[in-house]
Amino acid sequence: AVAATIERTSYDSLDGPVDLGGAVGEIAGFPSFGPTLNPAATGPKPDLAAPGSVVITALSGTSIVPGTQRVGELYRAIAGTSMATPFVTGAAALLLEARPDASREELKSALLSGAQTVEASDPRFGAGRLDVQGSLSFWGELDGGCRSVPGWAPWVLLLLVGLRRRR
């Protein structure tokens, strides 16, 4: 399970500035902290924390979103553990790029062991804040994943996404 941290407290929407309060780096007010159905098997919840409030994401061309959530014509502000989970998934993908033969248990261990701990070991953060570099360091992979992707590849992807949106 993933807890969501606050990454920004305000943003400019199409309807004007939106101030959400809270403090950057703190746990958002909406995550579930457990218990799980079988805490003996799963351990305490959450496992770790990742950015989840407020995340600026791409907006589907068919989405109907209130003006207060729209950040420009192509983006929206959204919050939730459903926003934090993709950050962990992306981190897992980078770790698997560095070590493709890693088991599920090794991957989870690297994610949790590499997490940035918080002061006073606050259990709401689980093992701590997601830290890809820390997880790679735990494995001794300091240069990190994506070595097989050329430096120009992300720009081509952005260009293709932009061209598709114009249709």
Side-chain angles (χ1 to χ4, degrees):
V2 179
T5 58
I6 298 171
E7 297 307 309
R8 64 176 67 216
T9 58
S10 64
Y11 62 93
D12 292 326
S13 76
L14 290 181
D15 288 350
V18 176
D19 186 5
L20 302 168
V24 171
E26 291 297 315
I27 291 291
F30 46 78
S32 171
F33 300 111
T36 63
L37 293 176
N38 187 358
T42 61
K45 184 178 167 185
D47 293 307
L48 74 155
S53 176
V54 165
V55 176
I56 306 300
T57 66
L59 181 63
S60 164
T62 59
S63 293
I64 299 172
V65 177
T68 55
Q69 292 180 3
R70 292 183 73 108
V71 181
E73 292 300 318
L74 300 175
Y75 304 96
R76 72 176 291 182
I78 193 166
T81 53
S82 58
M83 291 288 95
T85 302
F87 280 94
V88 178
T89 303
L94 290 171
L95 291 172
L96 287 171
E97 174 71 22
R99 191 172 287 180
D101 59 339
S103 69
R104 179 176 51 192
E105 293 78 18
E106 290 171 326
L107 183 59
K108 182 175 180 179
S109 177
L111 285 167
L112 298 182
S113 297
Q116 291 178 358
T117 57
V118 294
E119 292 182 34
S121 298
D122 187 338
R124 298 174 307 148
F125 287 86
R129 289 187 181 94
L130 178 66
D131 181 356
V132 177
Q133 186 173 0
S135 296
L136 288 166
S137 295
F138 174 74
W139 272 349
E141 301 283 345
L142 297 178
D143 58 341
C146 292
R147 290 185 297 272
S148 62
V149 177
W152 49 265
W155 297 108
V156 171
L157 178 62
L158 288 173
L159 175 65
L160 293 173
V161 169
L163 291 175
R164 184 166 184 224
R165 285 199 173 268
R166 290 186 180 159
R167 288 188 200 172

